Amino acid sequence: MSLPTQDPLMARLMRTPGLLPALTFAILLIVWEASTWLFAIPTYILPGPSRIIGGFDAVPFARWMEHIWATLRVALIGYVVAIVVSLPIAVGLAKSEFMALAFYPLLVVIQSVPVVAVAPIIIVVLGTDDAPRVLITFLIAFFPLVVSMTTGLRATPPELIELSRSLRAPAYREITQIRLPFATPYIFSGLQISITLAVIGAVVAEFVAADAGIGYFIQFSTSMFRLPEAWAGLTLLVAMSLVLFQSVGLVQKLIMPWSLPKE
């Protein structure tokens, strides 16, 4: 919702997509940089943006790519596994009241367990390769998917369900041709939330046991008081999450534009 304004400059800023957030972000960076110089804040407490850019240069590009790929690989595998597991569970919860009563509380209990606290146990049981990191990523990413898919599948208008049953449509056609298309906006909302959570899960796993990845790099850099490099790694993580989030939205826009919210 946009508020009317009499200021031509402000009106132009509000009409140009992305200009106002970019300007706000630029002002924030300028204030941040000026504050670190004005108050002589030590680099090991809060490096300014210029020092963070120097942190990028302190690490070879090939080494950055190795860490990015390690985190991205685990995040995407855990994300795909979460999608594959969540869809049949959501269909079961939407179709069967018995299954919803029996298993939904169990899912809530699993989600309530702090994954950060369980991560060391998972590492001890499964080892230090990709498998435990993928499992940790899956545990963080799958619950929002189940909730959004189940909500969308259950939100199908009951008259459409009654119509399909009156026509004796088989159960799989009710799911694939009625419930899933109607639930598409909910599903993509869950996919966008879960892709950012998958990145968080991969980083949490790297904090516990890893020899590569952005999370491992940040932990190593802070232990050596290399704060500009740690902030550079954090910046890459934010950029990775934003790119993945926008990629899911782009996929929805390209293949299912009809499911986008009306502006």
Side-chain angles (χ1 to χ4, degrees):
M1 184 180 66
S2 61
L3 298 176
T5 175
Q6 300 298 324
D7 189 336
L9 178 59
M10 186 60 69
R12 183 177 180 181
L13 287 174
M14 295 177 66
R15 284 198 305 269
T16 307
L19 181 58
L20 193 55
L23 186 60
T24 304
F25 185 66
I27 293 173
L28 175 64
L29 290 180
I30 292 172
V31 172
W32 181 0
E33 179 72 21
S35 300
T36 56
W37 286 97
L38 184 62
F39 298 106
I41 300 176
T43 304
Y44 61 86
I45 295 179
L46 181 65
S50 61
R51 299 294 180 88
I52 295 174
I53 293 174
F56 283 106
D57 293 334
V59 179
F61 179 75
R63 187 63 176 159
W64 277 125
M65 294 305 297
E66 180 183 343
H67 289 306
I68 292 172
W69 172 241
T71 301
L72 186 62
R73 183 184 69 244
V74 171
L76 290 180
I77 295 175
Y79 180 63
V80 171
V81 173
I83 295 173
V84 172
V85 173
S86 299
L87 183 56
I89 292 177
V91 171
L93 293 176
K95 286 280 291 179
S96 170
E97 193 66 25
F98 172 80
M99 187 171 174
L101 291 173
F103 291 100
Y104 196 80
L106 179 62
L107 293 176
V108 174
V109 171
I110 293 174
Q111 177 63 19
S112 302
V113 176
V115 177
V116 176
V118 178
I121 301 174
I122 295 175
I123 296 293
V124 169
V125 173
L126 297 181
T128 58
D129 56 4
D130 278 356
R133 291 194 282 274
V134 169
L135 177 58
I136 293 169
T137 303
F138 161 78
L139 289 175
I140 292 181
F142 99 107
F143 188 74
L145 278 173
V146 171
V147 172
S148 59
M149 289 178 180
T150 304
T151 302
L153 292 169
R154 283 189 163 186
T156 308
E159 55 269 23
L160 293 180
I161 303 299
E162 292 298 326
L163 177 62
S164 70
R165 290 175 181 172
S166 67
L167 296 174
R168 299 184 182 278
Y172 78 90
R173 294 188 67 178
E174 177 187 318
I175 294 295
T176 58
Q177 298 183 5
I178 297 179
R179 289 186 182 268
L180 278 177
F182 197 86
T184 300
Y186 298 87
I187 293 174
F188 272 99
S189 296
L191 289 173
Q192 285 188 304
I193 294 172
S194 292
I195 192 65
T196 57
L197 293 177
V199 175
I200 294 173
V203 172
V204 167
E206 289 166 1
F207 281 160
V208 179
D211 55 6
I214 300 296
Y216 161 79
F217 176 80
I218 292 174
Q219 188 180 43
F220 177 78
S221 298
T222 51
S223 68
M224 303 297 290
F225 292 96
R226 298 175 182 167
L227 267 295
E229 297 175 23
W231 276 88
L234 181 62
T235 304
L236 286 177
L237 272 182
V238 173
M240 183 188 298
S241 294
L242 289 176
V243 168
L244 292 174
F245 182 87
Q246 293 296 337
S247 297
V248 175
L250 181 62
V251 169
Q252 182 183 12
K253 186 176 182 180
L254 291 177
I255 66 175
M256 296 181 178
W258 49 266
S259 66
L260 292 169
K262 301 291 186 294
E263 296 182 355

